[in-house]
Amino acid sequence: QVHLVESGGGLVQAGGSLRLSCAASGRTISTYAMGWFRQAPGKDREFVGGISWSGGTTRYEDSVKGRFTISRDNAENTVYLQMNNLKPEDTAIYYCAADRGSIATMRVAPDFVDSWGQGTQVTVSS
């Protein structure tokens, strides 16, 4: 099983940027689709975006399109989430996910995702 550890969260003002990292260990992620989810207080977990095993395909939730970018470095076993022009509504705990299926399967069935990280807090002040 893949062990995932997120980092890079913090407090930032609206309009600012953060880059989250998700470091994997225990197994190479080169054959896994990778995704980012978030959960705000009192709300359900939400798909943010995903990237295919090759990095050739990415998908994003509508509210983050054009602001967030997912990338991966399979040689470093790491996935990134670059977040620009952050808004207070982006405040949440952000989770990294790995799945041997596709971005679509992670998105529609997150309860069946193979591995989750512990999450990193992102707080955007207005």
Side-chain angles (χ1 to χ4, degrees):
Q1 189 175 8
V2 178
H3 179 62
L4 304 172
V5 178
E6 302 94 336
S7 61
L11 174 64
V12 64
Q13 288 188 329
S17 298
L18 282 175
R19 188 194 196 202
L20 305 184
S21 298
C22 172
S25 61
R27 185 171 289 191
T28 177
I29 61 169
S30 61
T31 59
Y32 284 73
M34 301 295 295
W36 288 94
F37 291 75
R38 66 186 180 187
Q39 188 166 21
K43 295 188 176 181
D44 293 334
R45 180 177 51 197
E46 173 185 48
F47 173 81
V48 174
I51 187 167
S52 62
W53 64 269
S54 68
T57 301
T58 54
R59 295 288 185 265
Y60 299 96
E61 191 265 331
D62 286 346
S63 69
V64 307
K65 283 181 181 176
R67 300 189 297 122
F68 290 12
T69 303
I70 296 175
S71 60
R72 65 189 297 159
D73 185 338
N74 286 342
E76 294 294 327
N77 234 25
T78 302
V79 177
Y80 303 97
L81 178 65
Q82 177 67 44
M83 305 186 293
N84 298 328
N85 190 22
L86 282 160
K87 303 176 181 180
E89 52 263 43
D90 294 319
T91 295
I93 299 175
Y94 283 70
Y95 298 91
C96 178
D99 196 75
R100 286 166 290 183
S102 66
I103 300 171
T105 56
M106 280 197 295
R107 190 169 193 169
V108 301
D111 288 346
F112 296 96
V113 162
D114 289 329
S115 299
W116 290 96
Q118 85 291 345
T120 185
Q121 176 71 47
V122 171
T123 303
V124 185
S125 63
S126 57

